[in-house]
Amino acid sequence: MREHWHELTTAWRRGLTPGLTWGWLVVVVALTGLRCLGERPGWTPSQVLGILGTLVIIAGQLATLSLTFSHPERPVTWARVWQLVWDFKGTWLGLEMALTVLMVPWGLFGLSSQLVARVWLPSRWVNLVGLHRRPVVITVAIIYLLVTTFCLIRGPRDFRRLTPGLRHPGRAGQMIRGIIVSLGLLGLWFGGSQLMVAGVKRLGFGTENLVRLATAAGIMLSWIGFQCVAILGVTTLIWCWCGAPSLPMIRRDRRHWIGVTIVAVALASGVSWQTMMARPAFANSAVISHRGVDHEQGVQNTLGALRRIHRERPTFVEMDLHETRDGRWVVLHDETLATLAKRQVTPRQLTLRQLQRLEITENGQHAHLASWSDYLRLAERFHQPLLVEIKTTSADSANMVQRFGRLYGQRLRRDGSRVHSLDYRVVATLRRQVPKLAVGYITPFNWVNPQSMPADFYSLQQISVSRQFILAAKQRGGAAYVWTPDSRAAMTRSWELGADGQITNNLRQLRQVTDQAPWRASWAILQNFIYSYI
């Protein structure tokens, strides 16, 4: 064990010789520049040129590292490096593209959401994925694992092409050990960063200047820590690809570290300033009751819950509709009544009258299902705007959406209510039929530019939301709501990201979060910054 650790630390030292260290700094500057250029939605010529330049710089650095490990007895010159990059430019590009795709789910050095939020696809493709998200996610996960496994087995063998004369190409087992080491380093960084977040939280009752200073310092330290972990992780993987060769010890040269430290601190300071000062945060946030309840008080989507929740004056009460067998609508979220009524039946199999007779139970409370007409009438009596989610199934009547728009579109518009749906066909139909009614699209997960699905507003899934998706959603003046943050931490992070509203099951807690002074929630700036890298 001690011998393996000695070999690994020797490889790290070889990967941080003066020439390679300055090369790493150039790579970090390029990636940081891309991150800054990508804060706003859309593509610009500077971004495209920056991406191309960054790919060339990364190829040069990786080539230098591979030559250092594969031929440690020969000096590495710039002429050899760039000749290698040029001779195998297609292979280098393919390698970088493959690594980019594999790293997108893991942050891509903080660029993942910026890249994905710029992807445009036809709306019918996006809708198809959204409506069949479970099988799609499972299929994509299996393909990802197969591609990763193939790269582990085949990649080291093909790496010979990029390093002519490589004596002992790496094996799959070596790559797995290298990945374990890299993940371990990432885990240490993440754990240390979370400790800094906890420290800033404890300062939340101190002075504003102290909290802001601690947040800025946390951003600097977490950024420097991530760059160090990333460099050591990449060095480990390239060393393993080269067969984990035994390397001669080199004499330490501490002089160049003074300049490296100065440049790194200056970069970290710039990143901290940009994060603290140059980004919109803590926007005015609408408070929206999810399924018409607050902290399990009442049975979801029922008249009794609506009577309770309207006293808290939420901006909207979010509720759900299913079509019944007789072509009417019942207020219900689930596609079956197995959970609420212990009946293996769907809303489309019963008439509205039959559904209203069923007693439903939730959190030890009992109620009956409500018809849409009764629910809407009660909301209008309370002057309570609604956020109506229209659920669709393959059993719905062919003209269900058109009929709903004709009967209720103008009425909902006058009430100040809104409609949204996971099915983009509902969104497109209602926008055409009732142009002045605000109609939004619900993203089941965030993986393309929201404006691939033109809508008046967007309800973005909280788990995968980022600042780039919120900015892209709001680019043309629409609102960006987040669903469903229920913990204080998730609410605060969504508030800091600039969400226009939050759809939550804990309404009073959300009010407490958004009523506090923003500087007391500065820890969320640090935590969102950390999460953007993973």
Side-chain angles (χ1 to χ4, degrees):
M1 183 69 181
R2 184 177 298 177
E3 182 180 350
H4 288 307
W5 175 251
H6 176 72
E7 290 180 352
L8 180 60
T9 55
T10 301
W12 286 349
R13 290 177 185 174
R14 291 297 296 244
L16 292 173
T17 54
L20 280 166
T21 302
W22 287 106
W24 287 124
L25 273 178
V26 173
V27 170
V28 168
V29 169
L31 291 172
T32 304
L34 284 182
R35 182 180 172 96
C36 293
L37 289 172
E39 282 294 315
R40 293 291 174 180
W43 291 98
T44 63
S46 58
Q47 281 179 296
V48 176
L49 292 174
I51 291 173
L52 295 176
T54 301
L55 291 175
V56 173
I57 291 169
I58 291 174
Q61 182 68 3
L62 295 183
T64 305
L65 196 60
S66 64
L67 289 172
T68 299
F69 288 148
S70 60
H71 302 88
E73 75 286 351
R74 296 170 57 186
V76 178
T77 64
W78 285 111
R80 286 182 64 203
V81 169
W82 294 113
Q83 187 64 46
L84 179 61
V85 172
W86 178 255
D87 289 343
F88 300 97
K89 50 186 176 292
T91 307
W92 278 112
L93 181 61
L95 173 65
E96 290 182 299
M97 292 296 100
L99 291 176
T100 297
V101 171
L102 290 176
M103 289 177 63
V104 161
W106 310 107
L108 191 62
F109 295 95
L111 299 172
S112 179
S113 63
Q114 295 187 1
L115 175 64
V116 175
R118 286 173 167 78
V119 174
W120 286 78
L121 290 176
S123 59
R124 63 181 181 276
W125 293 8
V126 180
N127 199 48
L128 185 66
V129 171
L131 294 177
H132 303 88
R133 51 194 176 277
R134 289 182 180 85
V136 167
V137 169
I138 293 172
T139 302
V140 170
I142 292 172
I143 293 173
Y144 182 89
L145 290 175
L146 292 175
V147 171
T148 304
T149 303
F150 176 81
C151 291
L152 285 175
I153 296 173
R154 183 74 184 177
R157 191 180 307 169
D158 290 343
F159 192 59
R160 294 188 197 188
R161 295 187 59 196
L162 296 176
T163 313
L166 182 62
R167 297 189 183 91
H168 303 288
R171 300 176 184 272
Q174 292 171 340
M175 282 301 300
I176 292 174
R177 287 194 293 271
I179 289 175
I180 291 173
V181 170
S182 300
L183 291 177
L185 291 170
L186 185 62
L188 289 174
W189 167 79
F190 185 74
S193 298
Q194 292 305 309
L195 288 176
M196 286 192 290
V197 172
V200 176
K201 273 187 178 181
R202 291 184 67 87
L203 293 174
F205 296 100
T207 63
E208 180 175 357
N209 290 336
L210 178 62
V211 171
R212 291 191 178 278
L213 180 62
T215 304
I219 292 171
M220 289 180 62
L221 291 174
S222 64
W223 183 84
I224 292 174
F226 179 83
Q227 307 307 324
C228 292
V229 163
I231 290 170
L232 293 180
V234 171
T235 300
T236 302
L237 294 177
I238 296 297
W239 178 58
C240 292
W241 272 47
C242 292
S246 297
L247 301 170
M249 185 67 71
I250 59 172
R251 191 175 67 179
R252 296 181 181 180
D253 182 2
R254 295 184 175 88
R255 290 176 298 177
H256 81 283
W257 285 104
I258 299 176
V260 169
T261 302
I262 293 173
V263 174
V265 171
L267 277 172
S269 300
V271 170
S272 180
W273 178 88
Q274 191 269 343
T275 304
M276 292 289 294
M277 305 298 295
R279 305 189 334 184
F282 304 113
N284 292 329
S285 184
V287 289
I288 305 170
S289 170
H290 186 229
R291 304 186 193 177
V293 295
D294 179 19
H295 202 62
E296 301 178 351
Q297 293 185 2
V299 181
Q300 59 174 283
N301 282 319
T302 59
L303 297 177
L306 179 59
R307 290 188 181 95
R308 284 193 188 95
I309 201 67
H310 95 278
R311 299 170 191 155
E312 299 183 39
R313 307 311 302 170
T315 310
F316 296 102
V317 168
E318 194 268 352
M319 38 77 65
D320 311 272
L321 292 183
H322 274 286
E323 190 183 28
T324 63
R325 193 177 74 184
D326 52 350
R328 301 167 75 183
W329 288 275
V330 65
V331 184
L332 177 68
H333 175 272
D334 299 344
E335 297 199 4
T336 74
L337 288 155
T339 301
L340 293 177
K342 303 298 185 290
R343 293 278 302 273
Q344 293 295 336
V345 64
T346 69
R348 281 292 300 170
Q349 294 174 321
L350 300 177
T351 65
L352 178 61
R353 186 175 295 275
Q354 290 172 322
L355 287 164
Q356 287 180 294
R357 292 195 188 115
L358 295 178
E359 184 178 70
I360 57 177
T361 304
E362 187 177 41
N363 302 316
Q365 303 165 87
H366 306 278
H368 286 83
L369 293 171
S371 72
W372 163 233
S373 58
D374 289 344
Y375 198 96
L376 177 60
R377 192 179 304 114
L378 184 61
E380 289 176 331
R381 175 181 155 195
F382 294 145
H383 304 288
Q384 174 62 62
L386 301 176
L387 181 56
V388 182
E389 179 178 350
I390 297 181
K391 299 282 190 178
T392 61
T393 70
S394 57
D396 293 333
S397 59
N399 66 339
M400 186 263 286
V401 179
Q402 291 90 338
R403 190 158 43 85
F404 180 88
R406 184 176 67 254
L407 292 173
Y408 299 107
Q410 295 298 336
R411 186 173 171 182
L412 289 171
R413 182 188 66 80
R414 289 193 299 270
D415 294 342
S417 296
R418 297 185 164 203
V419 177
H420 64 171
S421 180
L422 277 162
D423 190 340
Y424 188 69
R425 294 170 298 184
V426 174
V427 179
T429 300
L430 288 180
R431 291 187 80 210
R432 287 194 305 268
Q433 187 175 356
V434 193
K436 293 185 179 180
L437 174 66
V439 185
Y441 178 64
I442 305 171
T443 64
F445 37 77
N446 303 301
W447 62 287
V448 295
N449 189 305
Q451 294 188 30
S452 295
M453 320 288 280
D456 300 309
F457 66 94
Y458 297 88
S459 300
L460 307 174
Q461 186 201 47
Q462 183 262 328
I463 295 175
S464 57
V465 76
S466 69
R467 188 175 307 278
Q468 283 68 43
F469 280 102
I470 288 177
L471 288 174
K474 298 199 294 186
Q475 193 173 20
R476 294 184 181 176
Y481 302 142
V482 175
W483 64 276
T484 311
D486 287 337
S487 68
R488 182 179 293 273
M491 292 172 181
T492 309
R493 291 198 305 270
S494 298
W495 185 34
E496 192 278 327
L497 287 174
D500 294 301
Q502 299 187 45
I503 304 170
T504 180
N505 293 298
N506 296 324
L507 201 69
R508 276 173 286 183
Q509 183 171 268
L510 177 58
R511 287 193 189 279
Q512 292 171 4
V513 167
T514 57
D515 285 346
Q516 67 181 317
W519 65 267
R520 294 190 183 278
S522 293
W523 62 265
I525 302 175
L526 173 58
Q527 191 154 65
N528 281 332
F529 178 81
I530 293 167
Y531 284 168
S532 72
Y533 276 94
I534 57 174

